[in-house]
Amino acid sequence: MASPADCLPWLPGGFMVTVRALLFWALVYSYCAICACIELLKLLWSIGRSPGKTFQRIIRENPPACLSDPSLGTHCYVRIKDSGLRFHYVAAGERGKPLMLLLHGFPEFWYSWRHQLREFKSEYRVVALDLRGYGETDAPSHQENYKLDCLITDIKDILESLGYNKCMLIGHDWGGMIAWLVAICYPEMVTKLIVVNFPHPSVFTEYILRHPSQLIKSGYYFFFQMPWFPEFMFTVNDFKVLKNLFTSRTTGIGRKGCRLTAEDIEAYLYIFSQPGALTGPINHYRNIFSCLPLQHHEVTMPTLLLWGERDAFMEVEMAETTRIYVKNHFRLTILSEASHWLQQDQPDIVNKLIWTFLKEETIRKRE
């Protein structure tokens, strides 16, 4: 078993290492400045066109009814002894059944797994977590509290607090990054791994340095390195950026997808419009450049990678390359008409593919 500290990088001393580090951080902050200038121009354009609308914000005091829909499960809380943080999650299915733990991406929260909570509760204890800093989970104020080793340890501690020593782990987007790392660092805790629209972290870090197109698509990683300005840009025009992420032609759910309802969108707006609600999620990204690349890479459990080919943020070529890091059964399925928000976009297909993978693995074990 590798601890999070073992999985994450350690660089020896030396002149060349220092030079490379300086060049690396020069690249990071140069691109950060470029992204910030682009966003500033967008802000000035919005102010010029409609200054009143630019700074308009609706106060959302009451959550929409969909967040308390009993068919999705029960709202629960668990406090982790070591960190002292209280985590919020929604659980469906009987206690004692095998655990299916769901990790959301950005800018999402437990609700992004609503279709899976309903689907898999018949055979699993399905737990959709609000990650550290998101939704009703505690949000530490210091940026260093969102380093990857903290996020990995959170999942281990939550698993133990729920009374389990292993789970079937599913992650999407940033939650997929965490799921890969948990599988690498704590392989004995993950019986099966399913990741949605995020490649193996080593594939991502190698690919982004060689392909300028992916560097551009990942521009928000760099923009998020700035203090407070990214949070402010999300609030412009009553969280227009957040709405567009899920609904626009370029980044939103595909034409043939399961569109978000007005109430679904309002659920996201309610969660992220609360005071300070964006800082914790964005802090996840503010530590990433000091935590990658990895030292340990191999994934040893059966793995399913699902990918929406119309992903506006991740190039599909990374999906196939991920295969080389999985030292067990690996299945990749690419859905041609699906977006980045795959489990919300094509829930029926995604659920069917997950069921097929789980049943295949059960049969394979018996044989």
Side-chain angles (χ1 to χ4, degrees), residues 120-329:
F120 294 101
K121 64 183 179 182
S122 59
E123 294 190 22
Y124 291 89
R125 176 69 169 174
V126 189
V127 170
L129 188 68
D130 274 343
L131 295 175
R132 177 183 290 223
Y134 281 83
E136 294 184 56
T137 290
D138 286 348
S141 57
H142 297 295
Q143 181 179 319
E144 59 267 23
N145 291 325
Y146 294 86
K147 289 184 176 179
L148 283 173
D149 57 347
C150 297
L151 307 179
I152 297 166
T153 304
D154 282 346
I155 306 307
K156 178 185 78 73
D157 291 343
I158 287 164
L159 194 69
E160 293 171 349
S161 297
L162 293 175
Y164 287 85
N165 56 23
K166 58 185 177 180
C167 70
M168 204 272 285
L169 187 61
I170 305 181
H172 168 248
D173 182 69
W174 185 259
M177 162 81 86
I178 297 172
W180 282 114
L181 296 175
V182 171
I184 293 167
C185 296
Y186 298 107
E188 73 286 354
M189 289 190 159
V190 182
T191 55
K192 300 176 185 68
L193 176 66
I194 298 175
V195 179
V196 184
N197 277 79
F198 201 93
H200 187 286
S202 293
V203 173
F204 179 68
T205 53
E206 292 163 8
Y207 189 90
I208 196 172
L209 293 175
R210 296 174 183 167
H211 297 82
S213 55
Q214 181 59 54
L215 190 68
I216 293 169
K217 289 181 177 181
S218 300
Y220 61 97
Y221 278 64
F222 297 86
F223 177 54
F224 286 170
Q225 302 310 304
M226 294 191 67
W228 72 264
F229 189 47
E231 289 94 321
F232 171 74
M233 286 302 297
F234 265 92
T235 69
V236 168
N237 288 332
D238 192 36
F239 296 88
K240 184 179 179 181
V241 170
L242 185 61
K243 298 173 194 173
N244 285 346
L245 281 172
F246 293 106
T247 61
S248 73
R249 282 179 171 271
T250 54
T251 65
I253 287 177
R255 294 179 185 178
K256 297 184 179 180
C258 180
R259 296 274 182 169
L260 268 67
T261 66
E263 191 176 35
D264 291 335
I265 295 172
E266 192 58 32
Y268 282 94
L269 294 175
Y270 170 77
I271 289 295
F272 288 105
S273 66
Q274 301 307 304
L278 283 161
T279 299
I282 292 176
N283 274 341
H284 281 242
Y285 291 88
R286 287 178 170 139
N287 292 289
I288 188 170
F289 294 111
S290 61
C291 297
L292 294 176
L294 304 178
Q295 285 218 130
H296 296 276
H297 307 273
E298 290 187 356
V299 174
T300 57
M301 68 287 302
T303 301
L304 171 65
L305 179 59
L306 301 176
W307 202 280
E309 192 171 20
R310 298 176 70 90
D311 191 327
F313 309 102
M314 294 283 173
E315 295 191 352
V316 69
E317 288 77 13
M318 291 187 287
E320 182 60 41
T321 310
T322 290
R323 184 184 303 273
I324 65 175
Y325 290 103
V326 180
K327 308 305 178 183
N328 202 313
H329 174 63

Side-chain angles (χ1 to χ4, degrees), residues 68-107:
S68 55
D69 183 348
S71 72
L72 297 177
T74 304
H75 289 258
C76 306
Y77 301 86
V78 60
R79 188 170 295 279
I80 303 304
K81 184 177 180 181
D82 289 343
S83 67
L85 298 180
R86 189 184 76 155
F87 283 79
H88 168 254
Y89 63 93
V90 173
E94 296 177 12
R95 296 178 184 272
K97 289 183 175 181
L99 178 63
M100 178 183 285
L101 186 59
L102 309 174
L103 311 180
H104 62 79
F106 174 88

